[in-house]
Amino acid sequence: MNTSLSWIKAYVPDLDVTAQEYADAMTLSGTKVEGYEKLDADLDKIVIGQIEKIEKHPDADKLVVCQVNLGTETTQIVTGAPNVFEGAKVPVVLDGGRVAGGHDGSKTPGGIKIKKGKLRGVESNGMMCSIEELGSTRDMYPEAPEEGIYIFPEDAQVGENAVKALGLDDVVVEYEVTSNRVDCFSVVGIAREAAATFGKTFVPPVVTETGNDEDVNDYVKVSVENTDLCPRYCARVVKNIKIGPSPKWMQRRLASVGIRPINNLVDITNYVMEEYGQPMHAYDLETIAGHQIVVKTAQDGETFTTLDGQERKMDQDVLMICDGEKAIGIAGIMGGENSMITDDVKTMLFEAACFDGVNIRKSSKRVGLRTDASGKFEKGLDPNNAKAAIDRACQLVEEMGAGEVVGGTVDVYGKEKHPVRVPFDAEKINAMLGTDISEDVMLGYFKKIDLEYDPETKEVIAPTFRQDLFRLADIAEEVARFYGYDNIPTTLPNGEATTGKLSFKLRIEQVARDIAEFCGFSQGMCYSFESPKVFDKLLLPADSPLRRTVEITNPLGEDYSIMRTTSLNGMLTSLATNYNRRNKDVRLYELGNIYLPKSLPLTELPEERMQFTLGMYGKGDFFSMKGVVEEFFEKIGMKNREIYDPDAGKPYLHPGRQANIVYDGKVVGYLGEIHPEVADIYGIGERAYVAVIDMPEIMEYATFDRKYYGIAKYPAVTRDISMVVPKHILAGQIEEVISAKGGKYLESYALFDLYEGAQIKEGFKSVAYSTVFRAKDKTLEDAEVTEAMERILKALEGMGIELRK
């Protein structure tokens, strides 16, 4: 949508802003300005001059020397224009001035600077201009000659600004109008928004219904067969037509938005379409059979020749304007060649209608024709605008003396459209926007854009041209845009939803992904549906609780007939696939649910438990997998408290290389090497390792709270412990004792030696730990460290552990 700023100012008389100020403010208030063009940006020092005397150039046959009166002085200009004559009033560029381009219509960025000089030895102090040199064309200025200088009418004032006289001292503004703001596809709509934005008075054109004492119903009859596709059809008749040029003010306004002036009747329809956003069409009444208009859909395969001379094929969904015998126009798109206005027209029918936007869009696409009119109709126009637009057109006809308007209007209006009433609640609007705007201020905003308020029902009444207002959020947006989005304070959102970050559960899962991928694992996804045969492949006993499954009512087949109760089958299947395709050193992980029924048969939904499953073969062993698990635990705040119980009892794992992961006395997962028989069943030809962590079990232990400690200022004391330990005692049990009995000065401990051999008695192993003690506020004394070590040794002796001599 384009408008000229001068046209807007015609309806907002007090608007006194620059183009940039206008663009910025309109964009902030919701009418986005894409850009603007100053028509006189490359024009400077151009005035109206009058040629007082013309003489032949002494040294050139095609040049003449003109004495031009500029109002304050007379100057000499040499020109080769063939149409100059004494007394002609012409645009003159003074010395140092600029024009937009050349005589051939080409434009030069920044314009062309004009300097006085000599032409074939004769001094010339400026230049007289053609309309092309002023940056326009004959299409927009039909009165301009094809070749030569532009000639002003006789009433032009010598010495005045020629750019202003031509209407080129204007700015054309381009808007990005969204489809829900149909009212802003018109100059009146944009002007209403501009008045509200700048707090000025909106003065729309005053429309009066004109017409003689005759009755239009005696001239034409209208019937609408499809009221769904044509909710309103207005028709008026104008007789004694006088075709001629439209007035200059109308031509200038049309030209400013890129519409070529043609004649008074065509220009009026185009002018009203731009002003009111209501497309119109004019028919020669004498070509309408029976002086009857019928609005109905076309027949399949029907052909129709439009005004552009093209024959187009119709179908039963295209709405047509017909007379008593034939089609005369495609509704909302283009009229027909058989009813076009010619210079011989005597009586004319004006049409202003409202058509279904969706149908117009689809019809336009089917017939391969899109026009300015269809572009507006397809947005869905306000049917209450049609009557005002046709009255405005007839008013202009009379004001311009283009014909005699017959009294009355044929108005076929089916289901009348009424204003929408929206409940108003200032408190809710403030809560929605995070503002503290008073009710009176809000109502003031509404009044500026023609929204009425009913204090009894506390409802805002939206006029029918505002087709975007239906609910409280819509009118809250009106408040926001006029209050100023930049004035709305920053506030924190209210509600139960997590704001600005992932939930705790999802953060834990993200850490699991990160750790797995950092350790070389690739993510996979396995099916939740499995076969009952899986349990036999995993060597599960017949009474295993994992065999209690949720059965699918309508399975794709036996292989997908139950919900999985263990994630191991999917992982092993994926490892086997990679092994059979000769991929080496494969590491995979999955985060997926298992489904454990609470009772069978099902009486409620099963328990869904997220499992973090790791699987690998190739490089790495049991302790590599254990390291990945410990890395994950450390990252989520579970440090140095896990114990690995070798009595896991998993039949699908190697009996000597498996362990339950126990944390704070609770089993949170398991890891180990796949049983050779199971690996053989799946077709994995080398050692494979898995780890499965039950995510719900670790949630209560995980934490992202971290405490920072500065660099130690005091020295550490290190003590080593070498022990003879029964083989059944785990390193984790020893570390638990060291941690519990080490006291507040214990900083760290680490296993540095493990030995089993001839020097150690049978059933025992040698284990050695290094312990580090440090105080934050002093240097430790030997007695303090010795006291802590005695507590540790005493607790270890209670477990049957001997200090190695």
Side-chain angles (χ1 to χ4, degrees), residues 286-306:
E286 299 308 317
T287 64
I288 298 176
H291 289 186
Q292 181 181 3
I293 293 292
V294 181
V295 183
K296 61 182 181 180
T297 52
Q299 300 293 322
D300 276 337
E302 179 181 345
T303 58
F304 180 73
T305 303
T306 47

Side-chain angles (χ1 to χ4, degrees), residues 12 237 281 352 376 442 511 626 731 746:
V12 191
V237 173
H281 192 69
K376 292 185 183 295
M442 291 185 188
V511 171
K626 179 172 173 283
L746 179 64

